[in-house]
Amino acid sequence: MTVTLAIDCMGGDHGPTVTVPAALDFLRHDPDCSMILVGLRDQLLPLLGKAEAEFGPRLTIRHASEQVAMDEPIATALRNKKDSSMRVAIELVKSNVAQAALSAGNTGALMAISHFVLKTLPGIDRPAIASVVPTLHGHTYVLDLGANVDCQPEHLLQFGIMGSMLIAALESKERPKVGLLNIGQEEIKGNEVVKRAGELLKTSGLNFFGNVEGDDLYKGTVDLVVCDGFVGNVTLKASEGVARMMSAALREEFNRNWRTRLTALLTLPVLNAFKHRFDPRRFNGASLLGLKGIVVKSHGSADALAFFHALEQAALAARNKLPERIAARMAVSSASV
Amino acid sequence: MTVTLAIDCMGGDHGPTVTVPAALDFLRHDPDCSMILVGLRDQLLPLLGKAEAEFGPRLTIRHASEQVAMDEPIATALRNKKDSSMRVAIELVKSNVAQAALSAGNTGALMAISHFVLKTLPGIDRPAIASVVPTLHGHTYVLDLGANVDCQPEHLLQFGIMGSMLIAALESKERPKVGLLNIGQEEIKGNEVVKRAGELLKTSGLNFFGNVEGDDLYKGTVDLVVCDGFVGNVTLKASEGVARMMSAALREEFNRNWRTRLTALLTLPVLNAFKHRFDPRRFNGASLLGLKGIVVKSHGSADALAFFHALEQAALAARNKLPERIAARMAVSSASV
């Protein structure tokens, strides 16, 4: 199926120097995909010229005169920058010119503008952000990752539905296993919101596994872990912190003296294979879920390879009609209430 | 200063085979310490005999006819087992025969019995559990770790006070830096409870750093991180999950073929040094805070070395009069309200 992606080329720490090459790579990789590069024409053209890119139906530029800064307050981005590359990309999805928008820009602004422009699907109170974390031999989806910090049980149920549909769309897994993040596997554990969310998930018709604990995220116990955005955000950042600390300690030990530095050389293939397994670039791309349209957030520091992975995800979500799936599942859910 | 520790010798996955040797080791290590070994006399005596331990004022047995199972419901442990080794050890603290109790048993039961027998200090609504996580070159204290899942801002303030006093007692650091776990460093971020807790901490007279994020736990940004028990528990378990996954992946990569196995042999000193840095045994011992007495929880799977570390912590807390410090600080805090 042919899909068109609208790319906010100005977002992220590296802007068009990363987004443009990644987009061109992806065009070569996926012959049924078209791209609209959104941003300052004067900055995009030289990069495209250098890459000898050919304009045509598959590759167009849409000039946008403004850009949202990485540290820009959400309110300013939303109200004062009507012609930002971020907003224009999202509006291309709204008007159905593109089937998905991508940005490596400011997460808060992206969420606010997406919410304002696209609106939520019927039955969805709040959009959420979903991403994946690695396991030993696979990965686990998690949501919410920070968009919703004060959740009611109904929101956690909606996260379960949206996440299940995301996995169905991206991995062709029709009944992904859903776990509820809690502090113990017994049903009596947890705070009041989580306890009631467990009851809702149990009768939701989803493939609900039950409660899972923090370490289950990295064990692959379930396909999807549902939690409120506060817990999700803190947990993921702590996990990144542990991974970075362990990597730094390993580097320190290998750098201790000439003997250990020599063993590091000998161990290089092993260390590289290890590094590759948890390379965050392979897991780049967080989906904004619950909107009337597809928006994918790339990490701000993404390089071209990482941005490519986010593009891949956006195209897959568009081809598998993610918003329609969520809307259909929500309709079933509301009908059964 | 002479201190007496009451040890629940029956708790933990390994019971007296771990707790008794660790206690005897600690007696040799700390000549000003006395021990009361609590448990089934018939099980303790042979182990003491084998180790040729000498009874006397520094080493006594206090027979307790029951024990709390690791999976025992809290209510049963509390109501039906009045002569459990766990309860008897705590009652020795209550009657001031011992200055601290230690157990590797069921956490929920230990918290419930400690709370019931010792009661909380004036001004403390709920006891909390504090522990440490490693950083690259040190460690960070965190509380709460699961005792309190629905916290009010006042509870987070109390955690800040109790944790600060814990660090003052264990590390002679009089004004430890306190961070509030949140999803962003800006004051406007976070859920309602956390935002209000931030305001309380700011005017508390503690050395309040401000908001910290998940990865700050492992960066050593502050000495103490305060959070509700739900977030703390999930975050720590997720962190353990990441660490275990990374270690398993490293093992897998080194075990891939004869060549990688050979490099593993050459790298052994480096890998062992790396392993030692994050050896959880070195960080064993979680403090139950806010009670009229000292109770330290050892990990259930602790070996003798890990249990030794928990004993060390209990003796230090007793010598530095941790409950008295918390009570004094709470009195100042209440007076200023």
Side-chain angles (χ1 to χ4, degrees):
Chain A
M1 194 187 110
T2 310
V3 288
T4 303
L5 307 181
I7 301 174
D8 164 14
C9 287
M10 311 307 291
D13 301 344
H14 312 295
T17 59
V18 154
T19 54
V20 170
L24 297 177
D25 263 358
F26 194 72
L27 273 181
R28 279 187 288 273
H29 165 81
D30 185 338
D32 288 329
C33 183
S34 303
M35 297 271 178
I36 306 171
L37 306 182
V38 186
L40 292 168
R41 194 190 305 269
D42 291 353
Q43 285 195 29
L44 301 182
L45 277 176
L47 286 164
L48 289 163
K50 221 170 72 183
E52 298 180 9
E54 274 178 47
F55 292 101
R58 289 189 60 211
L59 180 63
T60 48
I61 286 187
R62 170 71 166 75
H63 177 69
S65 62
E66 294 173 306
Q67 57 192 95
V68 174
M70 289 307 270
D71 55 355
E72 185 134 359
I74 294 175
T76 325
L78 187 61
R79 283 188 217 125
N80 304 349
K81 295 210 165 162
K82 304 258 158 95
D83 199 38
S84 72
S85 53
M86 187 185 274
R87 177 137 181 184
V88 171
I90 295 166
E91 274 170 351
L92 288 169
V93 173
K94 164 86 177 165
S95 57
N96 211 19
V97 174
Q99 281 76 56
L102 255 103
S103 176
N106 182 328
T107 311
L110 185 65
M111 182 49 109
I113 297 173
S114 302
H115 194 171
F116 178 78
V117 172
L118 295 172
K119 312 288 183 239
T120 53
L121 292 164
I124 300 289
D125 296 322
R126 305 164 170 197
I129 302 178
S131 190
V132 295
V133 297
T135 60
L136 202 51
H137 300 288
H139 54 261
T140 307
Y141 284 78
V142 198
L143 86 162
D144 177 50
L145 295 180
N148 302 283
V149 294
D150 277 303
C151 285
Q152 294 306 309
E154 293 71 25
H155 298 133
L156 293 171
L157 169 63
Q158 290 168 20
F159 298 166
I161 293 173
M162 297 193 287
S164 293
M165 296 302 108
L166 176 67
I167 298 173
L170 298 186
E171 318 231 333
S172 312
K173 201 179 252 184
E174 283 308 322
R175 285 181 57 71
K177 222 189 272 181
V178 181
L180 177 64
L181 194 55
N182 204 335
I183 60 167
Q185 288 182 352
E186 303 82 5
E187 280 176 35
I188 50 148
K189 291 231 175 156
N191 60 29
E192 286 311 314
V193 170
V194 170
K195 277 189 229 171
R196 281 178 42 219
E199 289 160 21
L200 292 178
L201 282 162
K202 221 193 295 179
T203 55
S204 65
L206 295 174
N207 185 5
F208 183 52
F209 171 85
N211 290 333
V212 295
E213 299 191 66
D215 50 347
D216 287 303
L217 276 166
Y218 301 95
K219 279 187 192 165
T221 311
V222 292
D223 301 303
L224 171 70
V225 171
V226 168
C227 58
D228 83 44
F230 189 93
V231 174
N233 183 292
V234 165
T235 303
L236 252 72
K237 283 190 181 151
S239 300
E240 286 167 11
V242 172
R244 261 198 297 270
M245 173 184 70
M246 288 180 72
S247 304
L250 204 53
R251 261 196 309 278
E252 276 190 8
E253 293 304 335
F254 273 117
N255 265 316
R256 208 162 275 285
N257 54 47
W258 66 266
R259 219 182 296 232
T260 59
R261 277 193 287 272
L262 190 67
T263 53
L265 279 179
L266 296 170
T267 320
L268 216 55
V270 172
L271 293 179
N272 283 339
F274 171 70
K275 221 170 125 183
H276 176 73
R277 287 174 76 145
F278 305 120
D279 185 346
R281 297 181 299 177
R282 296 174 50 221
F283 302 96
N284 186 41
S287 297
L288 273 56
L289 296 176
L291 299 164
K292 291 180 183 161
I294 295 167
V295 181
V296 173
K297 163 77 174 85
S298 159
H299 202 285
S301 67
D303 64 7
L305 176 64
F307 201 78
F308 184 96
H309 279 288
L311 287 165
E312 218 170 11
Q313 198 184 114
L316 203 52
R319 290 208 169 96
N320 290 296
K321 302 193 176 303
L322 177 56
E324 290 82 349
R325 280 175 189 254
I326 294 176
R329 186 59 181 74
M330 283 307 297
V332 174
S333 194
S334 322
S336 73
V337 170
Chain B
M1 194 188 110
T2 310
V3 288
T4 303
L5 307 180
I7 301 175
D8 164 14
C9 288
M10 310 306 290
D13 301 344
H14 312 296
T17 60
V18 155
T19 53
V20 170
L24 297 177
D25 263 358
F26 193 73
L27 273 181
R28 277 187 288 272
H29 164 82
D30 185 339
D32 288 329
C33 182
S34 303
M35 298 271 180
I36 305 171
L37 305 182
V38 186
L40 291 168
R41 194 189 305 269
D42 291 352
Q43 285 194 29
L44 302 182
L45 277 176
L47 287 163
L48 290 162
K50 222 169 73 183
E52 297 178 14
E54 272 177 49
F55 291 100
R58 288 190 61 213
L59 180 64
T60 48
I61 286 188
R62 169 72 166 77
H63 177 69
S65 62
E66 295 173 305
Q67 59 192 92
V68 174
M70 290 306 271
D71 55 356
E72 186 133 358
I74 294 175
T76 324
L78 188 60
R79 284 188 217 126
N80 305 348
K81 296 210 165 161
K82 304 259 159 90
D83 199 37
S84 71
S85 53
M86 187 185 275
R87 177 138 182 183
V88 171
I90 296 165
E91 274 170 350
L92 288 168
V93 174
K94 163 85 178 167
S95 57
N96 211 18
V97 175
Q99 281 76 56
L102 255 104
S103 176
N106 181 328
T107 312
L110 185 66
M111 183 50 110
I113 296 173
S114 302
H115 194 170
F116 178 78
V117 171
L118 296 172
K119 312 288 183 239
T120 52
L121 291 164
I124 299 289
D125 295 323
R126 306 163 169 197
I129 302 178
S131 191
V132 295
V133 298
T135 61
L136 203 51
H137 299 288
H139 54 261
T140 308
Y141 284 78
V142 198
L143 85 161
D144 177 50
L145 295 181
N148 302 284
V149 294
D150 278 302
C151 285
Q152 294 306 310
E154 293 71 25
H155 299 133
L156 293 170
L157 169 63
Q158 290 169 20
F159 298 166
I161 293 174
M162 297 194 285
S164 293
M165 295 303 108
L166 176 68
I167 298 173
L170 298 186
E171 318 232 331
S172 312
K173 200 180 253 183
E174 282 307 320
R175 285 181 56 72
K177 221 189 273 179
V178 181
L180 178 63
L181 194 56
N182 204 335
I183 60 168
Q185 288 181 353
E186 304 83 4
E187 278 175 36
I188 51 149
K189 290 230 174 158
N191 60 29
E192 285 312 314
V193 170
V194 171
K195 277 188 228 170
R196 282 178 43 220
E199 290 159 21
L200 292 178
L201 282 161
K202 221 192 292 179
T203 55
S204 65
L206 295 174
N207 185 5
F208 183 51
F209 170 86
N211 290 333
V212 295
E213 299 192 66
D215 50 347
D216 287 301
L217 275 166
Y218 300 95
K219 278 186 192 165
T221 312
V222 292
D223 300 303
L224 172 69
V225 171
V226 168
C227 57
D228 84 43
F230 189 93
V231 174
N233 183 291
V234 165
T235 303
L236 253 72
K237 283 192 182 150
S239 301
E240 286 168 10
V242 172
R244 261 198 297 270
M245 174 184 70
M246 288 179 73
S247 304
L250 204 53
R251 261 197 309 278
E252 277 190 7
E253 294 304 336
F254 274 118
N255 264 315
R256 208 162 276 284
N257 54 46
W258 66 266
R259 220 182 297 233
T260 58
R261 277 193 287 272
L262 190 66
T263 52
L265 279 179
L266 297 169
T267 321
L268 216 55
V270 173
L271 294 178
N272 283 339
F274 171 70
K275 219 169 127 185
H276 175 74
R277 287 174 77 146
F278 305 121
D279 185 347
R281 297 181 299 179
R282 296 174 50 221
F283 303 96
N284 186 41
S287 296
L288 273 56
L289 297 176
L291 300 164
K292 292 179 181 161
I294 295 167
V295 181
V296 174
K297 163 76 173 84
S298 158
H299 202 285
S301 66
D303 64 8
L305 176 64
F307 201 78
F308 183 96
H309 279 288
L311 287 164
E312 218 170 10
Q313 198 184 113
L316 204 53
R319 289 205 172 96
N320 289 297
K321 301 193 179 303
L322 178 56
E324 290 82 349
R325 280 174 188 253
I326 295 176
R329 186 58 181 76
M330 283 305 299
V332 174
S333 195
S334 323
S336 72
V337 170

